[in-house]
Short mmCIF file of all heavy atoms in Angstrom, two decimals:
data_model
loop_
_atom_site.label_atom_id
_atom_site.label_comp_id
_atom_site.label_asym_id
_atom_site.label_seq_id
_atom_site.Cartn_x
_atom_site.Cartn_y
_atom_site.Cartn_z
N GLY O 1818 97.95 112.67 5.96
CA GLY O 1818 98.91 112.87 7.04
C GLY O 1818 99.35 111.58 7.70
O GLY O 1818 98.76 110.53 7.50
N ILE O 1819 100.40 111.69 8.48
CA ILE O 1819 100.84 110.57 9.32
C ILE O 1819 101.09 111.15 10.72
O ILE O 1819 101.32 112.34 10.85
CB ILE O 1819 102.15 109.92 8.80
CG1 ILE O 1819 103.23 110.99 8.62
CG2 ILE O 1819 101.91 109.17 7.52
CD1 ILE O 1819 104.59 110.41 8.35
N PRO O 1820 101.07 110.30 11.75
CA PRO O 1820 101.26 110.82 13.13
C PRO O 1820 102.73 111.14 13.42
O PRO O 1820 103.34 110.63 14.35
CB PRO O 1820 100.79 109.64 14.01
CG PRO O 1820 100.32 108.57 13.10
CD PRO O 1820 100.75 108.88 11.71
N LEU O 1821 103.29 112.04 12.61
CA LEU O 1821 104.72 112.33 12.69
C LEU O 1821 105.11 112.89 14.06
O LEU O 1821 106.16 112.56 14.60
CB LEU O 1821 105.05 113.34 11.59
CG LEU O 1821 106.49 113.54 11.23
CD1 LEU O 1821 107.13 112.22 10.80
CD2 LEU O 1821 106.62 114.54 10.10
N ASP O 1822 104.25 113.76 14.61
CA ASP O 1822 104.60 114.40 15.89
C ASP O 1822 104.82 113.35 16.97
O ASP O 1822 105.78 113.40 17.74
CB ASP O 1822 103.52 115.41 16.31
CG ASP O 1822 102.12 114.81 16.29
OD1 ASP O 1822 101.88 113.84 15.54
OD2 ASP O 1822 101.25 115.30 17.03
N LEU O 1823 103.95 112.32 17.00
CA LEU O 1823 104.08 111.26 18.02
C LEU O 1823 105.31 110.39 17.73
O LEU O 1823 106.06 110.05 18.62
CB LEU O 1823 102.81 110.38 18.01
CG LEU O 1823 101.49 111.14 18.08
CD1 LEU O 1823 100.30 110.18 17.92
CD2 LEU O 1823 101.38 111.88 19.41
N TRP O 1824 105.48 110.04 16.45
CA TRP O 1824 106.61 109.15 16.11
C TRP O 1824 107.96 109.79 16.45
O TRP O 1824 108.88 109.10 16.87
CB TRP O 1824 106.58 108.81 14.62
CG TRP O 1824 105.42 107.94 14.24
CD1 TRP O 1824 104.53 107.33 15.08
CD2 TRP O 1824 105.02 107.58 12.92
NE1 TRP O 1824 103.60 106.61 14.36
CE2 TRP O 1824 103.88 106.76 13.02
CE3 TRP O 1824 105.50 107.88 11.65
CZ2 TRP O 1824 103.23 106.21 11.92
CZ3 TRP O 1824 104.86 107.35 10.54
CH2 TRP O 1824 103.73 106.53 10.69
N LEU O 1825 108.06 111.12 16.25
CA LEU O 1825 109.35 111.76 16.53
C LEU O 1825 109.69 111.71 18.01
O LEU O 1825 110.85 111.73 18.39
CB LEU O 1825 109.36 113.21 16.04
CG LEU O 1825 109.52 113.40 14.52
CD1 LEU O 1825 109.34 114.86 14.14
CD2 LEU O 1825 110.87 112.90 14.03
N ARG O 1826 108.65 111.66 18.87
CA ARG O 1826 108.94 111.58 20.31
C ARG O 1826 109.15 110.14 20.74
O ARG O 1826 109.57 109.89 21.86
CB ARG O 1826 107.76 112.16 21.11
CG ARG O 1826 107.57 113.62 20.89
CD ARG O 1826 106.59 114.22 21.89
NE ARG O 1826 106.26 115.58 21.49
CZ ARG O 1826 105.13 115.91 20.86
NH1 ARG O 1826 104.21 114.99 20.61
NH2 ARG O 1826 104.91 117.15 20.51
N ASP O 1827 108.83 109.20 19.85
CA ASP O 1827 108.83 107.81 20.27
C ASP O 1827 109.71 106.97 19.32
O ASP O 1827 110.92 106.99 19.43
CB ASP O 1827 107.36 107.34 20.30
CG ASP O 1827 107.21 105.99 21.00
OD1 ASP O 1827 108.19 105.54 21.61
OD2 ASP O 1827 106.11 105.41 20.94
N GLU O 1828 109.07 106.30 18.37
CA GLU O 1828 109.83 105.34 17.53
C GLU O 1828 110.96 105.99 16.73
O GLU O 1828 111.96 105.35 16.43
CB GLU O 1828 108.89 104.62 16.54
CG GLU O 1828 107.87 103.72 17.19
CD GLU O 1828 106.52 104.41 17.39
OE1 GLU O 1828 106.46 105.66 17.43
OE2 GLU O 1828 105.52 103.68 17.51
N LEU O 1829 110.79 107.26 16.34
CA LEU O 1829 111.82 107.91 15.50
C LEU O 1829 112.81 108.73 16.31
O LEU O 1829 113.68 109.39 15.74
CB LEU O 1829 111.15 108.83 14.48
CG LEU O 1829 110.45 108.17 13.30
CD1 LEU O 1829 109.76 109.22 12.45
CD2 LEU O 1829 111.45 107.39 12.46
N ARG O 1830 112.68 108.69 17.62
CA ARG O 1830 113.46 109.62 18.43
C ARG O 1830 114.97 109.43 18.27
O ARG O 1830 115.72 110.41 18.08
CB ARG O 1830 113.05 109.49 19.90
CG ARG O 1830 113.80 110.48 20.76
CD ARG O 1830 113.25 110.49 22.17
NE ARG O 1830 114.04 111.38 23.00
CZ ARG O 1830 113.62 111.85 24.15
NH1 ARG O 1830 112.43 111.51 24.61
NH2 ARG O 1830 114.39 112.65 24.87
N ASP O 1831 115.43 108.18 18.31
CA ASP O 1831 116.88 107.94 18.23
C ASP O 1831 117.43 108.34 16.87
O ASP O 1831 118.51 108.93 16.76
CB ASP O 1831 117.20 106.46 18.50
CG ASP O 1831 116.86 106.07 19.94
OD1 ASP O 1831 116.65 106.99 20.77
OD2 ASP O 1831 116.79 104.85 20.23
N TRP O 1832 116.68 107.98 15.84
CA TRP O 1832 117.07 108.33 14.47
C TRP O 1832 117.22 109.85 14.34
O TRP O 1832 118.23 110.37 13.83
CB TRP O 1832 116.02 107.80 13.50
CG TRP O 1832 116.11 108.28 12.09
CD1 TRP O 1832 116.97 107.84 11.13
CD2 TRP O 1832 115.30 109.31 11.47
NE1 TRP O 1832 116.74 108.52 9.95
CE2 TRP O 1832 115.72 109.42 10.13
CE3 TRP O 1832 114.26 110.12 11.93
CZ2 TRP O 1832 115.15 110.32 9.23
CZ3 TRP O 1832 113.68 111.02 11.03
CH2 TRP O 1832 114.12 111.11 9.71
N ALA O 1833 116.22 110.58 14.84
CA ALA O 1833 116.23 112.04 14.73
C ALA O 1833 117.37 112.63 15.57
O ALA O 1833 118.08 113.53 15.13
CB ALA O 1833 114.89 112.61 15.19
N GLU O 1834 117.53 112.08 16.76
CA GLU O 1834 118.56 112.60 17.66
C GLU O 1834 119.94 112.51 17.02
O GLU O 1834 120.74 113.43 17.10
CB GLU O 1834 118.51 111.83 18.99
CG GLU O 1834 119.42 112.35 20.08
CD GLU O 1834 119.13 113.81 20.47
OE1 GLU O 1834 118.10 114.08 21.10
OE2 GLU O 1834 119.97 114.67 20.12
N SER O 1835 120.21 111.38 16.33
CA SER O 1835 121.54 111.24 15.74
C SER O 1835 121.72 112.22 14.58
O SER O 1835 122.81 112.75 14.36
CB SER O 1835 121.78 109.80 15.28
OG SER O 1835 121.12 109.56 14.06
N LEU O 1836 120.65 112.52 13.84
CA LEU O 1836 120.76 113.47 12.72
C LEU O 1836 120.87 114.92 13.21
O LEU O 1836 121.43 115.78 12.53
CB LEU O 1836 119.55 113.35 11.79
CG LEU O 1836 119.47 112.06 10.96
CD1 LEU O 1836 118.14 112.00 10.22
CD2 LEU O 1836 120.62 111.97 9.96
N LEU O 1837 120.29 115.17 14.41
CA LEU O 1837 120.29 116.54 14.94
C LEU O 1837 121.35 116.72 16.02
O LEU O 1837 121.32 117.70 16.77
CB LEU O 1837 118.90 116.87 15.51
CG LEU O 1837 117.73 116.78 14.52
CD1 LEU O 1837 116.41 117.05 15.23
CD2 LEU O 1837 117.91 117.76 13.36
N ASP O 1838 122.26 115.78 16.09
CA ASP O 1838 123.33 115.85 17.08
C ASP O 1838 124.09 117.18 16.97
O ASP O 1838 124.47 117.58 15.87
CB ASP O 1838 124.29 114.68 16.87
CG ASP O 1838 125.45 114.73 17.84
OD1 ASP O 1838 125.25 114.37 19.01
OD2 ASP O 1838 126.56 115.15 17.42
N GLU O 1839 124.29 117.82 18.12
CA GLU O 1839 124.87 119.16 18.12
C GLU O 1839 126.24 119.20 17.43
O GLU O 1839 126.50 120.06 16.59
CB GLU O 1839 125.02 119.61 19.58
CG GLU O 1839 124.69 121.05 19.78
CD GLU O 1839 124.21 121.31 21.22
OE1 GLU O 1839 123.53 120.44 21.81
OE2 GLU O 1839 124.53 122.39 21.71
N ARG O 1840 127.09 118.24 17.80
CA ARG O 1840 128.45 118.23 17.22
C ARG O 1840 128.39 118.03 15.72
O ARG O 1840 129.12 118.66 14.95
CB ARG O 1840 129.28 117.11 17.86
CG ARG O 1840 129.77 117.43 19.27
CD ARG O 1840 130.68 116.33 19.80
NE ARG O 1840 130.07 115.00 19.69
CZ ARG O 1840 129.23 114.48 20.58
NH1 ARG O 1840 128.86 115.19 21.64
NH2 ARG O 1840 128.73 113.24 20.41
N ARG O 1841 127.49 117.15 15.33
CA ARG O 1841 127.36 116.86 13.90
C ARG O 1841 126.92 118.10 13.12
O ARG O 1841 127.46 118.44 12.06
CB ARG O 1841 126.32 115.75 13.75
CG ARG O 1841 126.04 115.36 12.34
CD ARG O 1841 125.12 114.18 12.36
NE ARG O 1841 124.87 113.69 11.03
CZ ARG O 1841 124.31 112.51 10.78
NH1 ARG O 1841 123.95 111.73 11.78
NH2 ARG O 1841 124.11 112.11 9.55
N LEU O 1842 125.91 118.81 13.66
CA LEU O 1842 125.41 120.02 12.98
C LEU O 1842 126.51 121.08 12.90
O LEU O 1842 126.68 121.74 11.87
CB LEU O 1842 124.19 120.58 13.73
CG LEU O 1842 122.90 119.75 13.67
CD1 LEU O 1842 121.85 120.31 14.63
CD2 LEU O 1842 122.33 119.71 12.25
N GLU O 1843 127.29 121.22 14.00
CA GLU O 1843 128.39 122.19 14.01
C GLU O 1843 129.37 121.88 12.89
O GLU O 1843 129.80 122.74 12.14
CB GLU O 1843 129.18 122.08 15.34
CG GLU O 1843 128.45 122.52 16.58
CD GLU O 1843 128.47 124.04 16.77
OE1 GLU O 1843 129.10 124.74 15.95
OE2 GLU O 1843 127.83 124.52 17.74
N GLN O 1844 129.73 120.59 12.83
CA GLN O 1844 130.76 120.14 11.90
C GLN O 1844 130.33 120.31 10.45
O GLN O 1844 131.11 120.75 9.60
CB GLN O 1844 131.03 118.66 12.20
CG GLN O 1844 132.32 118.15 11.65
CD GLN O 1844 132.37 116.63 11.85
OE1 GLN O 1844 131.66 116.07 12.68
NE2 GLN O 1844 133.21 115.97 11.08
N GLU O 1845 129.05 119.99 10.16
CA GLU O 1845 128.57 120.10 8.77
C GLU O 1845 128.43 121.55 8.35
O GLU O 1845 128.62 121.89 7.18
CB GLU O 1845 127.22 119.37 8.63
CG GLU O 1845 127.38 117.86 8.72
CD GLU O 1845 126.08 117.14 9.06
OE1 GLU O 1845 125.08 117.80 9.40
OE2 GLU O 1845 126.07 115.90 8.98
N GLY O 1846 128.05 122.39 9.31
CA GLY O 1846 128.09 123.82 9.05
C GLY O 1846 126.98 124.39 8.18
O GLY O 1846 127.18 125.44 7.56
N PHE O 1847 125.85 123.72 8.07
CA PHE O 1847 124.76 124.27 7.25
C PHE O 1847 123.75 125.08 8.06
O PHE O 1847 123.17 126.03 7.55
CB PHE O 1847 124.03 123.15 6.51
CG PHE O 1847 124.84 122.56 5.40
CD1 PHE O 1847 125.43 121.32 5.52
CD2 PHE O 1847 125.03 123.28 4.22
CE1 PHE O 1847 126.20 120.78 4.50
CE2 PHE O 1847 125.79 122.76 3.19
CZ PHE O 1847 126.38 121.51 3.32
N PHE O 1848 123.52 124.65 9.31
CA PHE O 1848 122.40 125.23 10.06
C PHE O 1848 122.84 125.97 11.32
O PHE O 1848 123.86 125.65 11.91
CB PHE O 1848 121.43 124.11 10.49
CG PHE O 1848 120.75 123.44 9.33
CD1 PHE O 1848 120.90 122.07 9.13
CD2 PHE O 1848 119.96 124.16 8.43
CE1 PHE O 1848 120.28 121.42 8.06
CE2 PHE O 1848 119.33 123.53 7.36
CZ PHE O 1848 119.49 122.16 7.18
N ASN O 1849 122.00 126.89 11.72
CA ASN O 1849 122.13 127.55 13.01
C ASN O 1849 121.76 126.52 14.09
O ASN O 1849 120.59 126.20 14.28
CB ASN O 1849 121.17 128.74 13.01
CG ASN O 1849 121.03 129.38 14.38
OD1 ASN O 1849 121.26 128.76 15.42
ND2 ASN O 1849 120.61 130.63 14.38
N VAL O 1850 122.78 126.00 14.77
CA VAL O 1850 122.59 124.85 15.66
C VAL O 1850 121.62 125.16 16.80
O VAL O 1850 120.73 124.37 17.10
CB VAL O 1850 123.95 124.36 16.23
CG1 VAL O 1850 123.75 123.12 17.09
CG2 VAL O 1850 124.92 124.07 15.09
N GLN O 1851 121.77 126.37 17.38
CA GLN O 1851 120.91 126.72 18.54
C GLN O 1851 119.43 126.70 18.12
O GLN O 1851 118.59 126.15 18.83
CB GLN O 1851 121.25 128.12 19.08
CG GLN O 1851 122.45 128.15 20.02
CD GLN O 1851 123.73 127.70 19.31
OE1 GLN O 1851 124.02 128.11 18.18
NE2 GLN O 1851 124.49 126.82 19.96
N ALA O 1852 119.15 127.29 16.98
CA ALA O 1852 117.75 127.40 16.54
C ALA O 1852 117.14 126.02 16.32
O ALA O 1852 116.00 125.75 16.70
CB ALA O 1852 117.67 128.24 15.27
N VAL O 1853 117.94 125.13 15.69
CA VAL O 1853 117.43 123.79 15.41
C VAL O 1853 117.24 123.00 16.70
O VAL O 1853 116.21 122.35 16.92
CB VAL O 1853 118.39 123.04 14.44
CG1 VAL O 1853 117.97 121.58 14.29
CG2 VAL O 1853 118.41 123.73 13.08
N ARG O 1854 118.23 123.08 17.59
CA ARG O 1854 118.14 122.32 18.84
C ARG O 1854 116.99 122.80 19.71
O ARG O 1854 116.33 122.02 20.38
CB ARG O 1854 119.46 122.41 19.63
CG ARG O 1854 120.63 121.69 19.01
CD ARG O 1854 120.46 120.18 18.91
NE ARG O 1854 120.14 119.52 20.17
CZ ARG O 1854 120.05 118.20 20.32
NH1 ARG O 1854 120.26 117.39 19.30
NH2 ARG O 1854 119.74 117.69 21.50
N LEU O 1855 116.75 124.13 19.68
CA LEU O 1855 115.64 124.68 20.46
C LEU O 1855 114.32 124.03 20.02
O LEU O 1855 113.51 123.58 20.84
CB LEU O 1855 115.56 126.19 20.30
CG LEU O 1855 114.36 126.86 20.98
CD1 LEU O 1855 114.47 126.77 22.50
CD2 LEU O 1855 114.21 128.32 20.55
N GLN O 1856 114.12 123.93 18.71
CA GLN O 1856 112.89 123.32 18.18
C GLN O 1856 112.78 121.86 18.62
O GLN O 1856 111.71 121.39 18.97
CB GLN O 1856 112.89 123.37 16.65
CG GLN O 1856 112.77 124.77 16.10
CD GLN O 1856 111.39 125.03 15.49
OE1 GLN O 1856 110.74 124.15 14.98
NE2 GLN O 1856 110.96 126.27 15.56
N TRP O 1857 113.91 121.18 18.57
CA TRP O 1857 113.91 119.74 18.93
C TRP O 1857 113.55 119.58 20.41
O TRP O 1857 112.73 118.75 20.78
CB TRP O 1857 115.28 119.15 18.61
CG TRP O 1857 115.48 117.69 18.93
CD1 TRP O 1857 116.52 117.16 19.65
CD2 TRP O 1857 114.67 116.57 18.52
NE1 TRP O 1857 116.40 115.79 19.71
CE2 TRP O 1857 115.27 115.40 19.04
CE3 TRP O 1857 113.48 116.44 17.79
CZ2 TRP O 1857 114.74 114.12 18.85
CZ3 TRP O 1857 112.95 115.17 17.60
CH2 TRP O 1857 113.57 114.02 18.12
#
Side-chain angles (χ1 to χ4, degrees):
I1819 54 170
L1821 196 57
D1822 52 335
L1823 310 174
W1824 291 352
L1825 284 173
R1826 294 191 190 101
D1827 192 10
E1828 295 95 338
L1829 285 176
R1830 182 171 176 163
D1831 294 346
W1832 168 79
E1834 187 59 71
S1835 78
L1836 290 173
L1837 301 177
D1838 178 77
E1839 219 153 325
R1840 284 185 308 276
R1841 178 174 184 166
L1842 290 171
E1843 292 279 358
Q1844 198 187 340
E1845 289 160 351
F1847 288 105
F1848 295 121
N1849 170 337
V1850 183
Q1851 278 63 45
V1853 172
R1854 291 296 306 186
L1855 175 67
Q1856 292 253 329
W1857 179 231

